[in-house]
PDB file of all heavy atoms in Angstrom:
ATOM      1  N   LEU Z   5     136.451 103.683  84.902  1.00 86.00           N
ATOM      2  CA  LEU Z   5     135.958 103.502  86.368  1.00 86.00           C
ATOM      3  C   LEU Z   5     136.759 102.552  87.066  1.00 86.00           C
ATOM      4  O   LEU Z   5     137.088 101.454  86.549  1.00 86.00           O
ATOM      5  CB  LEU Z   5     134.437 103.199  86.309  1.00 86.00           C
ATOM      6  CG  LEU Z   5     133.461 104.301  85.894  1.00 86.00           C
ATOM      7  CD1 LEU Z   5     132.005 103.811  86.051  1.00 86.00           C
ATOM      8  CD2 LEU Z   5     133.724 105.561  86.724  1.00 86.00           C
ATOM      9  N   PRO Z   7     137.091  99.726  90.049  1.00 92.00           N
ATOM     10  CA  PRO Z   7     136.095  98.685  90.492  1.00 92.00           C
ATOM     11  C   PRO Z   7     135.040  99.164  91.488  1.00 92.00           C
ATOM     12  O   PRO Z   7     133.837  98.940  91.445  1.00 92.00           O
ATOM     13  CB  PRO Z   7     136.932  97.693  91.106  1.00 92.00           C
ATOM     14  CG  PRO Z   7     138.243  97.733  90.315  1.00 92.00           C
ATOM     15  CD  PRO Z   7     138.480  99.184  90.133  1.00 92.00           C
ATOM     16  N   ALA Z  16     123.445 101.967  91.601  1.00 98.00           N
ATOM     17  CA  ALA Z  16     122.560 103.059  91.412  1.00 98.00           C
ATOM     18  C   ALA Z  16     121.683 102.815  90.329  1.00 98.00           C
ATOM     19  O   ALA Z  16     120.481 103.107  90.311  1.00 98.00           O
ATOM     20  CB  ALA Z  16     123.383 104.316  91.163  1.00 98.00           C
ATOM     21  N   VAL Z  23     112.056 103.361  90.462  1.00 98.00           N
ATOM     22  CA  VAL Z  23     111.342 104.631  90.278  1.00 98.00           C
ATOM     23  C   VAL Z  23     110.353 104.583  89.160  1.00 98.00           C
ATOM     24  O   VAL Z  23     110.697 104.260  88.016  1.00 98.00           O
ATOM     25  CB  VAL Z  23     112.356 105.741  90.236  1.00 98.00           C
ATOM     26  CG1 VAL Z  23     111.624 107.140  90.065  1.00 98.00           C
ATOM     27  CG2 VAL Z  23     113.393 105.824  91.399  1.00 98.00           C
ATOM     28  N   GLY Z  26     105.756 109.859  87.997  1.00 98.00           N
ATOM     29  CA  GLY Z  26     104.883 110.530  88.984  1.00 98.00           C
ATOM     30  C   GLY Z  26     105.214 110.355  90.461  1.00 98.00           C
ATOM     31  O   GLY Z  26     104.496 110.889  91.323  1.00 98.00           O
ATOM     32  N   ARG Z  28     107.322 110.723  94.126  1.00 98.00           N
ATOM     33  CA  ARG Z  28     107.950 111.703  94.899  1.00 98.00           C
ATOM     34  C   ARG Z  28     109.099 110.913  95.540  1.00 98.00           C
ATOM     35  O   ARG Z  28     108.840 109.889  96.348  1.00 98.00           O
ATOM     36  CB  ARG Z  28     107.044 112.376  95.793  1.00 98.00           C
ATOM     37  CG  ARG Z  28     106.114 113.209  95.268  1.00 98.00           C
ATOM     38  CD  ARG Z  28     104.803 113.488  96.233  1.00 98.00           C
ATOM     39  NE  ARG Z  28     104.081 112.185  96.514  1.00 98.00           N
ATOM     40  CZ  ARG Z  28     103.137 112.177  97.417  1.00 98.00           C
ATOM     41  NH1 ARG Z  28     102.690 113.338  97.933  1.00 98.00           N
ATOM     42  NH2 ARG Z  28     102.471 111.167  97.543  1.00 98.00           N
ATOM     43  N   GLY Z  32     119.176 110.725  98.358  1.00 98.00           N
ATOM     44  CA  GLY Z  32     120.257 110.694  99.381  1.00 98.00           C
ATOM     45  C   GLY Z  32     121.422 111.552  99.139  1.00 98.00           C
ATOM     46  O   GLY Z  32     121.458 112.165  98.036  1.00 98.00           O
ATOM     47  N   THR Z  36     127.893 107.529  96.642  1.00 94.00           N
ATOM     48  CA  THR Z  36     127.038 106.457  95.931  1.00 94.00           C
ATOM     49  C   THR Z  36     125.699 107.163  95.606  1.00 94.00           C
ATOM     50  O   THR Z  36     125.199 106.864  94.453  1.00 94.00           O
ATOM     51  CB  THR Z  36     126.976 105.253  96.910  1.00 94.00           C
ATOM     52  OG1 THR Z  36     128.081 104.862  97.358  1.00 94.00           O
ATOM     53  CG2 THR Z  36     126.177 104.134  96.144  1.00 94.00           C
ATOM     54  N   GLU Z  46     119.383 111.276  83.931  1.00 96.00           N
ATOM     55  CA  GLU Z  46     119.390 110.708  82.600  1.00 96.00           C
ATOM     56  C   GLU Z  46     118.054 110.259  82.263  1.00 96.00           C
ATOM     57  O   GLU Z  46     117.675 110.416  81.091  1.00 96.00           O
ATOM     58  CB  GLU Z  46     120.485 109.585  82.602  1.00 96.00           C
ATOM     59  CG  GLU Z  46     120.637 108.912  81.141  1.00 96.00           C
ATOM     60  CD  GLU Z  46     121.479 107.783  81.142  1.00 96.00           C
ATOM     61  OE1 GLU Z  46     121.533 107.046  82.006  1.00 96.00           O
ATOM     62  OE2 GLU Z  46     122.314 107.688  80.119  1.00 96.00           O
ATOM     63  N   ILE Z  55     109.349 112.986  87.719  1.00 98.00           N
ATOM     64  CA  ILE Z  55     109.368 112.798  89.265  1.00 98.00           C
ATOM     65  C   ILE Z  55     109.599 114.057  89.880  1.00 98.00           C
ATOM     66  O   ILE Z  55     109.948 115.092  89.260  1.00 98.00           O
ATOM     67  CB  ILE Z  55     110.389 111.775  89.557  1.00 98.00           C
ATOM     68  CG1 ILE Z  55     111.890 112.245  89.158  1.00 98.00           C
ATOM     69  CG2 ILE Z  55     110.229 110.447  89.058  1.00 98.00           C
ATOM     70  CD1 ILE Z  55     112.970 111.586  89.815  1.00 98.00           C
ATOM     71  N   TRP Z  83     104.752 113.562 101.862  1.00 98.00           N
ATOM     72  CA  TRP Z  83     104.980 112.178 102.006  1.00 98.00           C
ATOM     73  C   TRP Z  83     105.677 111.745 100.649  1.00 98.00           C
ATOM     74  O   TRP Z  83     105.290 112.187  99.579  1.00 98.00           O
ATOM     75  CB  TRP Z  83     103.779 111.253 102.399  1.00 98.00           C
ATOM     76  CG  TRP Z  83     104.148 109.921 102.883  1.00 98.00           C
ATOM     77  CD1 TRP Z  83     104.101 108.748 102.136  1.00 98.00           C
ATOM     78  CD2 TRP Z  83     104.574 109.541 104.184  1.00 98.00           C
ATOM     79  NE1 TRP Z  83     104.492 107.703 102.829  1.00 98.00           N
ATOM     80  CE2 TRP Z  83     104.869 108.084 104.131  1.00 98.00           C
ATOM     81  CE3 TRP Z  83     104.846 110.138 105.287  1.00 98.00           C
ATOM     82  CZ2 TRP Z  83     105.292 107.417 105.239  1.00 98.00           C
ATOM     83  CZ3 TRP Z  83     105.328 109.459 106.420  1.00 98.00           C
ATOM     84  CH2 TRP Z  83     105.540 108.126 106.322  1.00 98.00           C
ATOM     85  N   THR Z  91     124.841 104.144 102.182  1.00 98.00           N
ATOM     86  CA  THR Z  91     125.143 103.723 103.626  1.00 98.00           C
ATOM     87  C   THR Z  91     126.576 103.606 103.828  1.00 98.00           C
ATOM     88  O   THR Z  91     127.440 103.395 102.985  1.00 98.00           O
ATOM     89  CB  THR Z  91     124.432 102.504 104.046  1.00 98.00           C
ATOM     90  OG1 THR Z  91     124.380 102.416 105.428  1.00 98.00           O
ATOM     91  CG2 THR Z  91     124.924 101.247 103.306  1.00 98.00           C
ATOM     92  N   ALA Z 115     113.822 109.491 104.927  1.00 98.00           N
ATOM     93  CA  ALA Z 115     113.655 108.118 104.808  1.00 98.00           C
ATOM     94  C   ALA Z 115     112.409 107.695 105.575  1.00 98.00           C
ATOM     95  O   ALA Z 115     111.646 106.786 105.070  1.00 98.00           O
ATOM     96  CB  ALA Z 115     114.821 107.418 105.288  1.00 98.00           C
ATOM     97  N   ASP Z 119     107.304 105.604 101.915  1.00 98.00           N
ATOM     98  CA  ASP Z 119     106.710 104.305 101.961  1.00 98.00           C
ATOM     99  C   ASP Z 119     107.890 103.156 101.884  1.00 98.00           C
ATOM    100  O   ASP Z 119     107.674 102.144 102.395  1.00 98.00           O
ATOM    101  CB  ASP Z 119     105.813 104.043 100.633  1.00 98.00           C
ATOM    102  CG  ASP Z 119     104.512 104.888 100.912  1.00 98.00           C
ATOM    103  OD1 ASP Z 119     104.133 105.141 101.988  1.00 98.00           O
ATOM    104  OD2 ASP Z 119     103.910 105.232  99.730  1.00 98.00           O
ATOM    105  N   PRO Z 127     130.028  95.883  98.266  1.00 96.00           N
ATOM    106  CA  PRO Z 127     130.086  94.864  99.140  1.00 96.00           C
ATOM    107  C   PRO Z 127     130.885  95.223 100.428  1.00 96.00           C
ATOM    108  O   PRO Z 127     130.682  94.596 101.509  1.00 96.00           O
ATOM    109  CB  PRO Z 127     130.958  93.835  98.386  1.00 96.00           C
ATOM    110  CG  PRO Z 127     130.575  94.066  96.922  1.00 96.00           C
ATOM    111  CD  PRO Z 127     130.479  95.676  96.846  1.00 96.00           C
ATOM    112  N   SER Z 130     128.896  95.819 103.828  1.00 98.00           N
ATOM    113  CA  SER Z 130     128.181  94.649 104.541  1.00 98.00           C
ATOM    114  C   SER Z 130     129.130  94.274 105.715  1.00 98.00           C
ATOM    115  O   SER Z 130     130.334  94.027 105.620  1.00 98.00           O
ATOM    116  CB  SER Z 130     127.964  93.474 103.621  1.00 98.00           C
ATOM    117  OG  SER Z 130     127.443  92.505 104.422  1.00 98.00           O
ATOM    118  N   ALA Z 136     132.211  99.414 113.248  1.00 98.00           N
ATOM    119  CA  ALA Z 136     133.705  99.699 112.623  1.00 98.00           C
ATOM    120  C   ALA Z 136     133.724 100.964 112.142  1.00 98.00           C
ATOM    121  O   ALA Z 136     134.636 101.745 112.423  1.00 98.00           O
ATOM    122  CB  ALA Z 136     134.014  98.550 111.689  1.00 98.00           C
ATOM    123  N   PHE Z 146     125.671 124.667 121.255  1.00 98.00           N
ATOM    124  CA  PHE Z 146     125.658 125.091 122.621  1.00 98.00           C
ATOM    125  C   PHE Z 146     126.003 124.095 123.550  1.00 98.00           C
ATOM    126  O   PHE Z 146     125.390 123.011 123.528  1.00 98.00           O
ATOM    127  CB  PHE Z 146     124.266 125.817 122.956  1.00 98.00           C
ATOM    128  CG  PHE Z 146     124.011 126.112 124.379  1.00 98.00           C
ATOM    129  CD1 PHE Z 146     124.659 127.368 124.874  1.00 98.00           C
ATOM    130  CD2 PHE Z 146     123.521 125.183 125.353  1.00 98.00           C
ATOM    131  CE1 PHE Z 146     124.565 127.622 126.197  1.00 98.00           C
ATOM    132  CE2 PHE Z 146     123.419 125.531 126.662  1.00 98.00           C
ATOM    133  CZ  PHE Z 146     124.042 126.805 127.132  1.00 98.00           C
ATOM    134  N   VAL Z 164     129.413  98.269 123.789  1.00 97.00           N
ATOM    135  CA  VAL Z 164     130.324  98.673 122.682  1.00 97.00           C
ATOM    136  C   VAL Z 164     131.680  98.465 123.214  1.00 97.00           C
ATOM    137  O   VAL Z 164     132.110  98.248 124.284  1.00 97.00           O
ATOM    138  CB  VAL Z 164     130.135 100.185 122.275  1.00 97.00           C
ATOM    139  CG1 VAL Z 164     128.650 100.466 121.908  1.00 97.00           C
ATOM    140  CG2 VAL Z 164     130.423 101.159 123.589  1.00 97.00           C
ATOM    141  N   LEU Z 171     135.220 115.521 117.773  1.00 98.00           N
ATOM    142  CA  LEU Z 171     134.434 116.533 117.070  1.00 98.00           C
ATOM    143  C   LEU Z 171     134.919 116.428 115.462  1.00 98.00           C
ATOM    144  O   LEU Z 171     136.087 116.522 115.126  1.00 98.00           O
ATOM    145  CB  LEU Z 171     134.727 117.815 117.490  1.00 98.00           C
ATOM    146  CG  LEU Z 171     134.048 119.040 116.875  1.00 98.00           C
ATOM    147  CD1 LEU Z 171     132.568 119.034 117.036  1.00 98.00           C
ATOM    148  CD2 LEU Z 171     134.634 120.408 117.322  1.00 98.00           C
ATOM    149  N   ASP Z 176     140.405 123.414 109.344  1.00 97.00           N
ATOM    150  CA  ASP Z 176     140.860 123.763 110.801  1.00 97.00           C
ATOM    151  C   ASP Z 176     139.655 124.094 111.586  1.00 97.00           C
ATOM    152  O   ASP Z 176     139.797 124.536 112.664  1.00 97.00           O
ATOM    153  CB  ASP Z 176     141.889 124.973 110.575  1.00 97.00           C
ATOM    154  CG  ASP Z 176     143.123 124.606 109.972  1.00 97.00           C
ATOM    155  OD1 ASP Z 176     143.519 123.525 110.065  1.00 97.00           O
ATOM    156  OD2 ASP Z 176     143.776 125.538 109.365  1.00 97.00           O
ATOM    157  N   ASP Z 182     123.988 121.054 107.670  1.00 97.00           N
ATOM    158  CA  ASP Z 182     123.035 121.849 106.918  1.00 97.00           C
ATOM    159  C   ASP Z 182     122.109 122.595 107.992  1.00 97.00           C
ATOM    160  O   ASP Z 182     121.639 123.635 107.715  1.00 97.00           O
ATOM    161  CB  ASP Z 182     122.234 121.176 105.903  1.00 97.00           C
ATOM    162  CG  ASP Z 182     122.895 120.975 104.578  1.00 97.00           C
ATOM    163  OD1 ASP Z 182     124.203 121.484 104.422  1.00 97.00           O
ATOM    164  OD2 ASP Z 182     122.470 120.264 103.628  1.00 97.00           O
ATOM    165  N   ARG Z 194     132.426  98.319 117.782  1.00 98.00           N
ATOM    166  CA  ARG Z 194     131.402  97.209 117.661  1.00 98.00           C
ATOM    167  C   ARG Z 194     130.183  97.594 118.465  1.00 98.00           C
ATOM    168  O   ARG Z 194     130.421  97.972 119.715  1.00 98.00           O
ATOM    169  CB  ARG Z 194     132.009  95.825 118.068  1.00 98.00           C
ATOM    170  CG  ARG Z 194     131.004  94.795 117.911  1.00 98.00           C
ATOM    171  CD  ARG Z 194     131.688  93.492 118.420  1.00 98.00           C
ATOM    172  NE  ARG Z 194     130.766  92.287 118.305  1.00 98.00           N
ATOM    173  CZ  ARG Z 194     129.768  91.993 119.266  1.00 98.00           C
ATOM    174  NH1 ARG Z 194     129.448  92.719 120.187  1.00 98.00           N
ATOM    175  NH2 ARG Z 194     129.133  90.850 119.047  1.00 98.00           N
ATOM    176  N   PHE Z 217     120.169 103.747 111.730  1.00 98.00           N
ATOM    177  CA  PHE Z 217     118.943 103.680 110.920  1.00 98.00           C
ATOM    178  C   PHE Z 217     118.394 102.289 111.260  1.00 98.00           C
ATOM    179  O   PHE Z 217     118.786 101.226 110.778  1.00 98.00           O
ATOM    180  CB  PHE Z 217     119.009 103.832 109.416  1.00 98.00           C
ATOM    181  CG  PHE Z 217     119.174 105.266 109.024  1.00 98.00           C
ATOM    182  CD1 PHE Z 217     120.141 106.005 109.676  1.00 98.00           C
ATOM    183  CD2 PHE Z 217     118.416 105.852 108.048  1.00 98.00           C
ATOM    184  CE1 PHE Z 217     120.232 107.434 109.230  1.00 98.00           C
ATOM    185  CE2 PHE Z 217     118.603 107.099 107.621  1.00 98.00           C
ATOM    186  CZ  PHE Z 217     119.456 107.911 108.297  1.00 98.00           C
ATOM    187  N   VAL Z 224     118.314  96.544 100.000  1.00 98.00           N
ATOM    188  CA  VAL Z 224     119.650  96.988  99.762  1.00 98.00           C
ATOM    189  C   VAL Z 224     120.038  96.417  98.306  1.00 98.00           C
ATOM    190  O   VAL Z 224     119.791  95.236  98.057  1.00 98.00           O
ATOM    191  CB  VAL Z 224     120.626  96.427 100.731  1.00 98.00           C
ATOM    192  CG1 VAL Z 224     122.060  96.664 100.349  1.00 98.00           C
ATOM    193  CG2 VAL Z 224     120.438  97.084 102.129  1.00 98.00           C
ATOM    194  N   VAL Z 226     123.221  95.980  96.126  1.00 98.00           N
ATOM    195  CA  VAL Z 226     124.484  95.729  96.175  1.00 98.00           C
ATOM    196  C   VAL Z 226     125.289  95.615  94.814  1.00 98.00           C
ATOM    197  O   VAL Z 226     124.915  94.717  94.115  1.00 98.00           O
ATOM    198  CB  VAL Z 226     125.064  94.508  97.112  1.00 98.00           C
ATOM    199  CG1 VAL Z 226     126.593  94.506  97.320  1.00 98.00           C
ATOM    200  CG2 VAL Z 226     124.292  94.655  98.454  1.00 98.00           C
ATOM    201  N   VAL Z 235     120.038  92.227  94.876  1.00 98.00           N
ATOM    202  CA  VAL Z 235     118.948  92.906  95.417  1.00 98.00           C
ATOM    203  C   VAL Z 235     118.442  92.155  96.698  1.00 98.00           C
ATOM    204  O   VAL Z 235     117.836  91.117  96.516  1.00 98.00           O
ATOM    205  CB  VAL Z 235     117.689  93.197  94.489  1.00 98.00           C
ATOM    206  CG1 VAL Z 235     116.588  93.969  95.165  1.00 98.00           C
ATOM    207  CG2 VAL Z 235     118.273  93.938  93.293  1.00 98.00           C
ATOM    208  N   GLY Z 241     112.146  88.578 102.210  1.00 95.00           N
ATOM    209  CA  GLY Z 241     113.111  87.674 102.465  1.00 95.00           C
ATOM    210  C   GLY Z 241     113.789  87.060 101.246  1.00 95.00           C
ATOM    211  O   GLY Z 241     114.146  85.762 101.183  1.00 95.00           O
TER     212      GLY Z 241
END
Side-chain angles (χ1 to χ4, degrees):
L5 289 181
V23 178
R28 293 162 293 181
T36 309
E46 182 183 39
I55 60 170
W83 194 261
T91 189
D119 287 336
S130 175
F146 174 81
V164 296
L171 177 68
D176 295 331
D182 278 358
R194 181 185 183 277
F217 283 50
V224 171
V226 184
V235 180

